[in-house]
Structure formats: C-alpha cells, structure tokens
C-alpha cells in the first residue's frame, strides 16, 4: 500500500516555479527542490521521472490554473467589456508563460488559451473581422503591457488601448 503524500504536487510545483523565477531553468534540480520542500530526491524521481518531467509538470499545472481562472473570468464578466474581462483574468506573467514553449504540449496550451481569450474579447467588441483584429491587438497590448511593467516601465493604460481599438 503506497504511503500518503505529505507534501503535495502543488507545493512541489510552486517551489519549481519559484526557483525558475529566481534563477531560470538551470536553478531547478532534484536537489534544489528537495532542499526547499523537504522531500528526498529519490521521491521526486519516483513522482516525476526526470528533472525535465518535473519542470513540465509544474508548467502544465500553471496552465491548468490559468485556464481555470480564465474560464471563470469569462463566465463571470459576460456583462462587462474587454477591459473588465482582462482585469478579471488578473495578472499574467508573460515571461513565465513563454518559458518552455518549444515543448509542443505547452505551445498547444498557450495557443489554445490565447484563442479562447481572443474569442471572448471579440464577443465583447462586436462581430466580424474588425472585432477579431481588435481583439488580437488588444490581447497583444495586454501581454506587452504585462511584460514591460515587470521591467519597471509604466507604459500605457489598458483602457486607453481599449478606447482606441473600439
């Protein structure tokens, strides 16, 4: 009979994401995660198979959480405009999302998420080609703003972009 997990996958994944944020991909090893979580390295090997498997599992879990949050935001803001939707989705770290996109599974998740957000924006902007183009531009502006605000750049206000595109 297997032992119950005293330290959850979510705790491991949060540790992996923190290590990646602080030191990049190279900062993640079975040893570094073991030190921070209290799990033995062989336990991590048993759970995830390889270091890359552990990193991918953490990234997939992050996508799961973002997709759930996005679905809830789309459903909960059907009466709001595009800015209300993007605000409800909340902060998204584009650098963290872009990491690992050479992996086809992660790239597919990213493309699906983007398409879903753009579709929801399109529905809030109207119909037709102009609404789809405006939604794509708004998505790009939103992610660009998030990227550059992380670098300390004030950039522009999202509501100004919404006004110009609608």
């Amino acid at each position: 009979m297997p032992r119950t997990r005293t330290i959850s996958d979510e705790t491991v994944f949060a540790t992996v994401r923190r290590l990646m944020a602080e030191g990049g991909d190279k900062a993640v090893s079975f040893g570094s995660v073991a030190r921070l979580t209290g799990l033995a390295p062989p336990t991590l090997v048993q759970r995830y198979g390889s270091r890359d498997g552990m990193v991918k599992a953490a990234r997939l879990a992050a996508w799961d959480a973002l997709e759930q949050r996005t679905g809830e935001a789309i459903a909960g803001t059907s009466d709001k405009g595009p800015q209300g939707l993007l605000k409800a989705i909340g902060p998204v770290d584009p650098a963290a999302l872009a990491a690992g996109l050479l992996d086809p599974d992660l790239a597919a998740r990213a493309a699906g998420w983007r398409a879903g957000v753009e579709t929801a924006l399109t529905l809030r902007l109207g119909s037709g080609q102009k609404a789809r183009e405006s939604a794509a531009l708004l998505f790009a502006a939103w992610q660009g703003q998030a990227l550059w605000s992380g670098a300390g750049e004030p950039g522009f206000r999202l509501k100004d972009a919404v006004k110009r595109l609608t």
Side-chain angles (χ1 to χ4, degrees):
M1 177 177 197
R3 295 185 330 189
T4 58
R5 291 185 176 184
T6 56
I7 298 176
S8 68
D9 284 335
E10 291 77 25
T11 300
V12 173
F13 298 157
T15 301
V16 168
R17 288 191 299 271
R18 188 179 100 212
L19 285 167
M20 286 190 298
E22 292 171 357
D25 231 29
K26 304 241 185 257
V28 179
S29 67
F30 285 130
S32 63
V33 174
R35 274 191 304 282
L36 293 170
T37 61
L39 287 171
T43 301
L44 294 168
V45 172
Q46 189 177 33
R47 278 192 195 183
Y48 307 109
S50 67
R51 186 203 81 86
D52 290 342
M54 179 174 61
V55 169
K56 183 174 180 175
R59 287 181 170 146
L60 287 170
W63 277 108
D64 289 343
L66 178 58
E67 288 170 344
Q68 180 178 347
R69 191 171 84 212
T70 301
E72 291 168 357
I74 290 169
T77 62
S78 59
D79 60 334
K80 298 196 185 293
Q83 186 179 355
L85 169 63
L86 297 178
K87 198 179 247 187
I89 293 172
V92 177
D93 181 358
L97 295 181
L101 289 184
L102 294 177
D103 179 295
D105 295 332
L106 295 169
R109 294 288 293 271
W113 176 74
R114 177 181 177 182
V117 173
E118 285 183 6
T119 297
L121 288 169
T122 299
L123 293 172
R124 286 161 170 77
L125 292 168
S127 61
Q129 186 63 27
K130 184 176 187 314
R132 284 191 296 279
E133 289 171 0
S134 294
L137 289 169
L138 188 55
F139 179 89
W142 174 52
Q143 289 300 285
Q145 180 191 40
L147 178 66
W148 288 108
S149 67
E153 293 288 324
F156 62 92
R157 295 182 317 198
L158 195 57
K159 70 179 183 178
D160 294 336
V162 171
K163 284 180 190 175
R164 289 185 179 141
L165 292 171
T166 57

